[in-house]
Amino acid sequence: MKFLNIAVIFLTLSTSAFAERIGGTRIRKGNDLAGVITDSRTGKGIKGVAVSDGYGFTVTDKRGVYQMKADPRARTVWYRTPSGFRMAQDETGAPAFYAYRDASSKLDRHDFSLEPLDAQEDSFTLLIMADPQCQSAYDVGRLRDETLPDVRRTLDEGIASGRYSSNVYGIGLGDIIYDNFEIWAPMRELFRSVGYSGGRVPVFNIPGNHDHSNKVTNAYDAIDNYVRHFGPQDYSFDRGQVHFVMMDNIIFTGTQPDTKAKPWNNCLYDSGFSDEQMEWLKQDLALVEDKENKLVVLCTHSPFRQGAKSGGGNVNYGRYYDDVLSALTQFKNAEILIGHTHYPETYVHGGYVCKGGSPVREHIFGSVSGAWWHTNTCVDGTPNGYAVYQVGGTVFTDEVARFTGRPESHQMRVYDGNQVYNGTKGVEFKWEDDLNGKFIASIWYADPLNWKVEFIQDGVATPMEQVTRRQRDWCCYSYFINENGRRPDNKSYWTNRLHYWTLPARSGNPSSEKGWTVRATHTVPGSGKVHVYECSNLQEGYDGL
């Protein structure tokens, strides 16, 4: 009789501990977020799929069922698309790997269906776009009518020639809008329209500082508009042998004083990661198997680069700078994709070496919008544009910057170091004295490790020297002041990152020299693929800016 009572008590406790069943799996008491992930062909559940509410993780059981106690702040639930399954897209072409939470439901259920791939996706194409940063209907129109048709042409030509894989994924690196909340809806529609003749490209975005609201007083509300229009703030997915991590690294610290003179003032912020984000990242990476044989790609907005003590220019040392970079070294290779600066730079983190022996590499991209759609040029002279990368196995096999409305061969401008710029307003600018009498090649995406720059004249090739201190593109700077009517108010922001190579002209007067060519040879480190770009003309005034 005593044994029977115990059994009855046990049965009562066990049955009351579960609220529901999903596909034969009991949902444990207290869990309020659940669902099943199935194979669209077989209808069977998929085991081992990582699922997150943005704060913690769970994985699906043998029946494909996931369950968890959601964080009260969770606005979405999403699954990490496994490599062996197609990336889900909705009817508009947008990624469809997440759902919005119903916090009022006792058990918020969201089911997902995944379509298996017929073959392993060992190679694919990345379309990378940084800082569209649209503030007005005019800006949106330029993105729609100039950039996206150029993207389509580039992808169509590359896929038709066999150069690009038709498996194309878009990466958006933040600053989708420029503090104008009326632009959210049209920007969402534009990102859903990105594509080529064969279909629409799913674009995976992360927020930038201008995507955080400047009208609220806390970090949670600051990102609400972004989440409602573009989905999760932090998330991940797998393609082939690559693990992508998408993270918001803007730390909201307050609201700018409201001013009618500068309605575009964004929120106050530092760059880095919160305690909760770091814990989320640890959980995410812990669920990646065989890391030492995979590539990890971290996509976020503000650069790591040399780091910073505070502010929004680079990830702050006290905001998990070292922790995040160290976490990436668990993988065979690691690449970081960055926006924010409106000028390009490649930075190698020599102190953080991955399992494959190469250091973590950071790619900072010039902006889609250039200098905020005022011209066709970024703040350092780089043309408005985007990039198309190829991924094969665990490396980037091709890396090419593309500039809107320009051929692929257009990768540099060459200046006369004697040139003086004064434009219609007569404000005079000229190159530094030590550049007088020299050819100056501004090669926007070049770096000294993987690029060789030569000056060829009369059949003789001479290496050009990279500048050793930061230089400003005085032609571009003058254009903004003399012709564009926009005076740069932060002079340091308009200083580029050493992408100039120089050589003295034999006569001391570059404009009088004949029969010369600047040749820039780029060797892609992951594959050894070689691109050769040439320029044989000096920049004439403000042409093309």
Side-chain angles (χ1 to χ4, degrees), residues 223-396:
I223 202 64
D224 191 62
N225 275 310
Y226 172 87
V227 173
R228 285 192 289 110
H229 287 87
F230 285 91
Q233 181 180 4
D234 302 312
Y235 59 99
S236 62
F237 59 93
D238 295 322
R239 296 289 82 195
Q241 299 177 63
V242 186
H243 181 62
F244 286 89
V245 180
M246 315 291 292
M247 294 188 75
D248 175 14
N249 71 346
I250 302 303
I251 305 291
F252 178 96
T253 60
T255 303
Q256 292 271 25
D258 191 18
T259 169
K260 293 181 179 180
K262 290 186 177 182
W264 58 86
N265 273 2
N266 58 303
C267 62
L268 298 170
Y269 65 99
D270 289 331
S271 291
F273 306 91
S274 68
D275 297 345
E276 291 161 327
Q277 284 180 299
M278 191 65 220
E279 179 57 32
W280 174 91
L281 179 61
K282 289 178 180 178
Q283 291 184 45
D284 177 79
L285 299 185
L287 291 171
V288 179
E289 298 179 353
D290 197 26
K291 286 188 279 289
E292 62 274 14
N293 290 308
K294 290 183 178 177
L295 165 66
V296 62
V297 179
L298 172 63
C299 304
T300 191
H301 185 63
S302 295
F304 282 80
R305 216 163 30 200
Q306 301 97 332
K309 293 181 179 179
S310 62
N314 295 309
V315 173
N316 299 174
Y317 299 122
R319 297 284 194 174
Y320 294 105
Y321 176 93
D322 176 73
D323 302 77
V324 172
L325 289 175
S326 295
L328 301 182
T329 63
Q330 301 174 71
F331 289 77
K332 181 177 182 180
N333 294 310
E335 309 277 2
I336 305 175
L337 308 184
I338 295 291
H340 193 50
T341 65
H342 292 246
Y343 58 75
E345 182 179 4
T346 300
Y347 188 87
V348 176
H349 293 273
Y352 299 88
V353 179
C354 299
K355 299 299 183 183
S358 297
V360 175
R361 192 166 55 133
E362 181 172 350
H363 308 251
I364 304 171
F365 295 91
S367 61
V368 169
S369 61
W372 310 279
W373 298 111
H374 290 278
T375 66
N376 299 313
T377 306
C378 295
V379 296
D380 67 329
T382 302
N384 298 15
Y386 52 95
V388 181
Y389 280 22
Q390 279 294 117
V391 182
T394 60
V395 296
F396 290 162

Side-chain angles (χ1 to χ4, degrees), residues 124 146 208 314 404:
F124 52 90
E146 297 175 24
N314 295 309
T404 305

